[in-house]
Amino acid sequence: MKLFLSEGSPGALKVLAAAEATGAPAELKWVPQEAHVVPFLTRSQLPALHLEKESFLFSTNTICQYFFRLSGKEIRDLGQDESNFSNQLFEWDATELEPALSAALHLHLVHGKKGEEVLEIIQKPLNYIDQTLVKRGTPYLTGNAESAVDVVLWGALFPLLRDESFLPDELKALRRWFQNMNQKEYCKKAVESVWTPKGLLELKAYLQKHPAPNQAFEKPATNELKEEESAQRSLSEEEIAAIAEVWVRGPAGLPKPWKPQQPILPVEGMKNVLITSALPYVNNVPHLGNIIGCVLSADTFARYCRLRNWNTLYLCGTDEYGTATETKAMEEGLTPQQICDKYYTVHAQIYQWFKISFDYFGRTTTPHQTKIAQDIFQKLLERNYLLTETVDQLKCENCARFLADRFVEGICPFCNYEEARGDQCDKCGKLINATELKKPVCKVCQATPVVRSSQHLFLDLPKLEESLEKWLSASQSTGDWTPNARYISRSWIRDGLKPRCITRDLKWGTPVPLDDFRDKVFYVWFDAPIGYLSIAANYTDQWEKWWKNPEQVQLYNFMAKDNVPFHSVVFPCSLLGTGDRYTLVNHLIATEYLNYEDGKFSKSRGVGVFGDMAKDTGIPADIWRFYLLYLRPESQDSAFSWNDLMLKNNSELLNTLGNFINRAGSFVCKFFGGHVPTMELSQDDKSLLVHITLELRQYNQLLEKVKIRDALRSILNIARLGNQYLQVNEPWKRIKGSEADKKQASTVIGVAVNIASLLSVILQPYMPSVSAAIQEQLCIPADYNVVTNDFVCTLPAGHQIGTVTPLFQKLETEQIENLRKRFGGGQQKVVKGEQAVGTKELQEEVAKQDNYVQQLKAQNAEKKQVDAAVSKLAELQKQLNLAEGKAKKRK
């Protein structure tokens, strides 16, 4: 592998130190700053590590982590807690420390500032490192020996802290740590190679070409420009002039939007992005939490990728096999295939309403699913990665069948949660064998199941563990895995992999093509992820160009955290075991859970908004998209709140974003007859362009790392800057003043409407309909729907805009209260033991059980099974009568 470095690149020091520390077998290549090493990036990015063929790493922290993991040192030396903390520090370095250091270095090296003026910027991060060392009581950040994160933070800090006047005496732990790192032989060698007189000049030149991050944006935005004015001191005139020059150049510098061939296939030399969202189970109507956890997050990222001109394919579909489908079919008096057809349409309509831009939305009940799943199975069998074992299973004598794991409920053997499923506990998240449950109950008829034996096939995960761990280390070193995805996957390996059953005693599923097992089907968690491949095969017969092309394809998986083990361990092992070069996940993006108000979503209790209900609220799909993405549970659980939805709509959308865009367009219509006026930029106008550009670059940096929620804040920050710009300059007053005032009003309105044009593009991944409305009102050409790191003037003087109308409507308190009651499960309650049961829920349960009884009778089921079902129906009816009686008394 080859490591490309530039003497002026700020990341060169840490990367070189990491290479020296680990003895990485990398050939060093010193190149100029402007060298374009990574072919699929639109600009030079150094350092860069060329791995093989067209595989590159170009994040300095990722390269350092890769060197340490490649050497095996990090895995040997760090426990799980230390590893998790290390990952947290890497995130903190990228989002907090680096921007502060860049601003401080600008002041110090470019502008020659010293003392408190520089220290003020960096003081908070320095305090954090010092406090971390003191709290942990160790000489290094993760323990008694240095690790990758020590090298990364030392390399970041050295250019500034080499001048010890920036290292306060009171930060003793930080000072001791920094001096220890300075004495490391590999750090000394890195300093000798990089920190030369020529290197210092190159670094200064690099900083002059790259504007410093605007530290003012860490503070809450106000309608004053004072904070921004103070931040302007760290921006050189050269930087402002360069950004203004790009602006004046206009759309000529923009690339044309990429229009892929159909079907979409990987293109050599381009960034090829394959996106999947976890396949929703067909018999469940998705609620808002399901939608944000999978399809909406993936859709937002897919739309962003297309705006970046990355060759993108977004696939999803319904997961249709398993006992849940069989039971739902029985309840509704349909065949399993009919129930799949019915609910596939329901799902498709919901996602269409939410503007989910799948390139293909398929399903798993197809011949391609059978062919590909059986092919993978046969290769695993041939390569001796399958085992045969006799399994004790729960069998319901009343239902006369073995019970699928999800149709058994009982007490979790690990945390004693009373409603744990037979495959996984929703509370502690641990996987369970159904026979391990305490007090198991059949969820179909409520009878107590018995243990019976059956022969099954198992995937030999322990035999694949070495291959898995090698792949997992590489993927997590080079890819963007969310912290919860890293932790969950690592915890599986830490606890030791065990053989995993891949067959079930069911009828509705992909049949097992092996004698003695032909009456069985594949277990859903072996079979369902293969749906990604079969859905691609239904989309194009050249599907292997995506799924057997790891050198050219970057694979992003989106899901909620409960799906992580199957996508990070079970499915990769299934593919690794075949010996084929499958495309395995590079970036695993997992959310936490979205709750509803103070509880959980429940269709049966009428609690929460489900996908088929959202359109009946009268609130447009884009408002739902915005709010769900605004509170996306990226690092911890979040909760939907009706009051907060109203607040965000009325403040962020109506008063901030909508108000600015409407004012900018209306001023063009009112004062200039609908034509964009002439713009002559003053220094203040150019400074605004710099701040907008910095926010745009922050937006890109965040979305490249799939920080979807945080990137939305950058959009709102740009709208706030636009509002402040109008408020401070008051063009509606200046237009009536002197010639100089009129000229300034003309410029302000012209710049403002161009900010609105930029917002229409970067808003598109979040609110596609609103984006389209803005572009229609401002008559923005479709060719401008691309995102780069530059803010350009897309609406030149003389451009004719259309009719400008408000984009958003106010949500009223009465309207929200009515919706809260409607979706709050507000039925009267009756207490049975300690459980509150709603009358609506009981009515649904009675109807469902009655339907089940009729089905059993029609099928001439065993008398014992029918009697049990009838008994349960009588009990439910009794509870319902009691509940309705108490409800009448209250009235």
Side-chain angles (χ1 to χ4, degrees):
M1 55 187 173
K2 296 179 181 179
L3 178 60
F4 293 88
L5 297 168
S6 165
E7 286 184 300
S9 170
L13 190 63
K14 64 172 80 169
V15 167
L16 194 54
E20 292 282 353
T22 58
E27 179 186 352
L28 296 185
K29 295 281 188 180
W30 293 92
V31 296
Q33 288 182 14
E34 63 275 8
H36 199 161
V37 175
V38 186
F40 51 80
L41 294 182
T42 57
R43 56 190 172 88
S44 173
Q45 182 71 38
L46 295 169
L49 182 65
H50 188 183
L51 298 174
E52 57 181 27
K53 294 185 179 179
E54 294 304 313
S55 296
F56 289 87
L57 303 183
F58 42 87
S59 159
T60 53
N61 288 4
T62 298
I63 294 172
C64 293
Q65 288 175 280
Y66 180 77
F67 285 153
F68 271 79
R69 288 198 172 127
L70 190 66
S71 70
K73 183 179 179 183
E74 196 95 323
I75 296 170
R76 272 198 319 270
D77 297 346
L78 295 186
Q80 188 62 45
D81 290 341
E82 289 83 1
S83 180
N84 291 338
F85 182 65
S86 177
N87 289 330
Q88 177 180 305
L89 286 176
F90 282 122
E91 294 285 335
W92 174 80
D93 171 68
T95 57
E96 295 286 336
L97 179 60
E98 290 289 357
L101 277 171
S102 182
L105 283 170
H106 256 268
L107 276 183
H108 180 45
L109 296 179
V110 178
H111 301 289
K113 303 291 184 181
K114 290 189 176 182
E116 289 297 322
E117 195 171 356
V118 177
L119 187 58
E120 184 181 5
I121 296 175
I122 200 68
Q123 183 74 57
K124 187 176 177 181
L126 295 182
N127 289 344
Y128 175 72
I129 299 174
D130 185 75
Q131 291 163 10
T132 296
L133 290 163
V134 171
K135 185 177 179 181
R136 296 180 73 84
T138 55
Y140 299 98
L141 291 163
T142 55
N144 293 318
E146 69 274 23
S147 64
V149 76
D150 291 283
V151 174
V152 163
L153 295 193
W154 169 82
L157 290 166
F158 181 85
L160 192 68
L161 296 193
R162 69 186 179 87
D163 181 346
E164 292 198 359
S165 66
F166 294 120
L167 187 52
D169 291 335
E170 62 269 19
L171 302 184
K172 294 178 181 177
L174 172 62
R175 178 180 286 271
R176 187 163 53 249
W177 167 83
F178 184 69
Q179 291 172 345
N180 283 343
M181 291 298 297
N182 284 341
Q183 296 307 310
K184 300 293 179 185
E185 199 60 35
Y186 54 82
C187 290
K188 288 181 180 179
K189 287 184 178 180
V191 170
E192 289 171 3
S193 298
V194 176
W195 206 254
T196 62
K198 181 185 176 185
L200 183 58
L201 289 174
E202 291 286 343
L203 176 61
K204 186 173 180 179
Y206 174 92
L207 293 170
Q208 288 173 334
K209 292 177 184 177
H210 294 77
N214 186 356
Q215 295 297 298
F217 293 128
E218 294 181 3
K219 303 173 184 178
T222 68
N223 285 329
E224 302 284 333
L225 277 182
K226 293 179 181 177
E227 290 179 4
E228 281 67 36
E229 288 169 357
S230 66
Q232 287 172 21
R233 295 193 211 106
S234 66
L235 301 170
S236 69
E237 291 184 7
E238 292 84 359
E239 292 163 347
I240 295 175
I243 287 175
E245 183 180 342
V246 170
W247 151 274
V248 172
R249 200 181 306 147
L254 291 176
K256 295 293 182 184
W258 166 245
K259 295 179 180 178
Q261 60 184 350
Q262 295 298 327
I264 302 169
L265 297 173
V267 177
E268 189 171 351
M270 288 192 71
K271 183 170 182 176
N272 299 295
V273 178
L274 176 58
I275 299 172
T276 69
S277 49
L279 307 182
Y281 204 68
V282 73
N283 75 319
N284 292 328
V285 176
H287 57 64
L288 297 181
N290 303 136
I291 290 167
I292 185 58
C294 299
V295 295
L296 179 53
S297 294
D299 176 69
T300 304
F301 185 68
R303 289 176 178 274
Y304 172 72
C305 291
R306 296 178 191 124
L307 286 177
R308 292 299 302 272
N309 272 354
W310 299 340
N311 189 42
T312 305
L313 179 66
Y314 176 23
L315 299 174
C316 188
T318 46
D319 174 12
E320 301 189 349
Y321 282 132
T323 301
T325 302
E326 287 183 336
T327 305
K328 189 73 171 178
M330 185 180 292
E331 289 176 3
E332 298 195 16
L334 301 171
T335 66
Q337 187 62 62
Q338 286 172 331
I339 211 76
C340 290
D341 293 343
K342 173 183 175 180
Y343 282 94
Y344 172 82
T345 302
V346 170
H347 277 265
Q349 289 173 344
I350 289 170
Y351 303 138
Q352 185 178 13
W353 187 80
F354 273 97
K355 304 291 190 296
I356 307 299
S357 61
F358 303 119
D359 291 297
Y360 186 76
F361 184 69
R363 53 201 307 186
T364 57
T365 50
T366 67
H368 280 299
Q369 176 74 12
T370 302
K371 182 178 183 297
I372 296 172
Q374 290 184 346
D375 176 67
I376 290 172
F377 168 79
Q378 292 289 4
K379 289 180 178 177
L380 291 170
L381 186 65
E382 291 165 7
R383 291 165 61 84
N384 297 315
Y385 286 121
L386 298 179
L387 304 171
T388 302
E389 291 186 15
T390 300
V391 178
D392 287 338
Q393 287 181 258
L394 293 178
K395 184 175 184 180
C396 179
E397 300 286 2
N398 287 336
C399 296
R401 63 178 173 182
F402 286 101
L403 295 176
D405 293 341
R406 288 186 174 235
F407 280 80
V408 184
E409 197 170 82
I411 299 172
C412 175
F414 299 103
C415 70
N416 292 319
Y417 178 57
E418 293 188 356
E419 296 179 5
R421 301 192 311 266
D423 60 347
Q424 189 174 24
C425 176
D426 283 335
K427 185 175 181 182
C428 70
K430 291 193 175 180
L431 297 183
I432 302 168
N433 287 320
T435 53
E436 296 174 333
L437 288 172
K438 304 172 190 176
K439 298 182 180 179
V441 173
C442 170
K443 290 183 70 176
V444 178
C445 71
Q446 300 301 304
T448 301
V450 295
V451 178
R452 293 287 183 268
S453 296
S454 179
Q455 283 274 315
H456 282 282
L457 293 164
F458 283 69
L459 180 61
D460 193 350
L461 292 179
K463 198 172 181 179
L464 287 157
E465 186 166 351
E466 185 177 346
S467 297
L468 174 74
E469 187 158 1
K470 182 180 178 182
W471 162 76
L472 194 62
S473 294
S475 181
Q476 292 188 348
S477 295
T478 59
D480 292 311
W481 287 53
T482 51
N484 56 0
R486 292 176 186 271
Y487 175 79
I488 292 169
S489 56
R490 283 291 168 190
S491 68
W492 264 55
I493 292 179
R494 181 193 63 206
D495 295 342
L497 297 182
K498 300 174 181 63
R500 193 78 187 160
C501 188
I502 65 167
T503 55
R504 282 292 183 267
D505 289 296
L506 304 174
K507 295 179 181 178
W508 183 245
T510 302
V512 179
L514 186 65
D515 290 344
D516 298 330
F517 294 91
R518 295 188 185 277
D519 59 340
K520 303 180 191 297
V521 299
F522 289 127
Y523 177 39
V524 67
W525 276 116
F526 173 77
D527 186 62
I530 296 172
Y532 297 132
L533 281 60
S534 71
I535 288 167
N538 279 287
Y539 169 65
T540 172
D541 58 6
Q542 301 178 71
W543 65 274
E544 290 184 344
K545 289 185 177 180
W546 284 105
W547 282 105
K548 290 187 177 180
N549 190 1
E551 293 83 8
Q552 288 190 324
V553 173
Q554 289 285 303
L555 173 58
Y556 290 78
N557 288 165
F558 286 80
M559 68 201 66
K561 64 181 178 182
D562 58 336
N563 280 334
V564 168
F566 307 104
H567 288 77
S568 65
V569 177
V570 179
F571 185 43
C573 279
S574 301
L575 299 182
L576 288 167
T578 66
D580 293 342
R581 283 187 60 76
Y582 276 102
T583 302
L584 301 179
V585 61
N586 304 98
H587 315 274
L588 203 157
I589 314 301
T591 61
E592 300 292 319
Y593 295 135
L594 177 71
N595 296 316
Y596 180 79
E597 295 281 351
D598 297 324
K600 293 185 176 182
F601 291 86
S602 172
K603 186 83 169 180
S604 63
R605 291 187 291 115
V607 175
V609 181
F610 286 71
D612 55 347
M613 304 171 180
K615 63 182 178 182
D616 297 328
T617 62
I619 297 174
D622 268 21
I623 307 301
W624 288 109
R625 287 177 62 107
F626 169 84
Y627 183 61
L628 291 173
L629 292 163
Y630 192 97
L631 53 79
R632 183 173 183 264
E634 292 187 356
S635 57
Q636 61 184 13
D637 291 356
S638 58
F640 173 90
S641 162
W642 284 106
N643 281 344
D644 191 50
L645 169 63
M646 178 174 67
L647 177 65
K648 296 299 184 294
N649 178 82
N650 294 348
S651 60
E652 301 287 14
L653 292 180
L654 186 64
N655 294 341
T656 300
L657 182 65
N659 180 51
F660 167 68
I661 292 171
N662 187 259
R663 291 170 83 195
S666 295
F667 288 155
V668 172
C669 293
K670 182 176 181 180
F671 300 123
F672 299 97
H675 292 86
V676 175
T678 303
M679 292 161 275
E680 296 181 16
L681 301 179
S682 67
Q683 197 63 21
D684 286 343
D685 299 322
K686 292 176 182 178
S687 295
L688 174 72
L689 301 186
V690 171
H691 292 308
I692 300 292
T693 300
L694 294 178
E695 281 295 347
L696 174 60
R697 291 175 182 175
Q698 177 78 345
Y699 166 90
N700 281 329
Q701 289 169 8
L702 290 167
L703 277 176
E704 285 172 6
K705 292 291 184 181
V706 205
K707 303 287 187 183
I708 295 173
R709 183 188 61 196
D710 292 340
L712 181 55
R713 270 56 170 185
S714 291
I715 296 175
L716 296 173
N717 282 345
I718 290 175
R720 289 190 186 97
L721 284 169
N723 271 322
Q724 294 164 20
Y725 180 61
L726 291 176
Q727 208 61 33
V728 167
N729 286 285
E730 298 182 322
W732 59 92
K733 291 182 180 177
R734 292 185 183 276
I735 199 71
K736 302 172 184 177
S738 64
E739 285 303 312
D741 282 342
K742 289 178 181 177
K743 185 179 293 185
Q744 184 175 347
S746 171
T747 299
V748 168
I749 291 171
V751 170
V753 80
N754 271 280
I755 296 173
S757 176
L758 172 67
L759 285 168
S760 78
V761 178
I762 63 176
L763 189 65
Q764 197 264 357
Y766 295 86
M767 306 181 78
S769 296
V770 171
S771 167
I774 299 168
Q775 297 194 4
E776 183 180 357
Q777 291 181 21
L778 300 184
C779 300
I780 299 170
D783 275 358
Y784 298 169
N785 276 300
V786 288
V787 170
T788 68
N789 275 321
D790 296 319
F791 174 33
V792 303
C793 176
T794 53
L795 305 182
H799 173 85
Q800 174 78 56
I801 72 170
T803 303
V804 177
T805 57
L807 296 168
F808 305 107
Q809 291 186 336
K810 185 178 181 181
L811 292 177
E812 302 291 349
T813 302
E814 182 181 358
Q815 176 188 4
I816 290 300
E817 283 305 312
N818 288 336
L819 290 170
R820 188 205 309 280
K821 291 175 183 177
R822 177 179 166 189
F823 296 105
Q827 300 84 14
Q828 297 293 336
K829 305 287 182 181
V830 57
V831 177
K832 178 195 175 189
E834 295 181 354
Q835 184 182 12
V837 183
T839 56
K840 182 178 179 181
E841 178 186 6
L842 285 169
Q843 288 168 351
E844 291 177 356
E845 289 295 322
V846 167
K848 186 187 298 183
Q849 187 65 15
D850 182 57
N851 195 17
Y852 178 57
V853 169
Q854 300 307 319
Q855 290 292 323
L856 290 176
K857 289 179 178 178
Q859 295 172 3
N860 295 317
E862 293 182 7
K863 184 175 184 301
K864 185 177 180 181
Q865 187 178 1
V866 175
D867 289 345
V870 170
S871 176
K872 182 186 175 184
L873 175 61
E875 177 62 27
L876 287 170
Q877 187 63 57
K878 182 179 178 181
Q879 293 177 33
L880 178 60
N881 293 341
L882 179 62
E884 289 177 338
K886 289 194 173 185
K888 287 179 181 178
K889 286 181 181 179
R890 288 190 185 94
K891 290 179 180 179

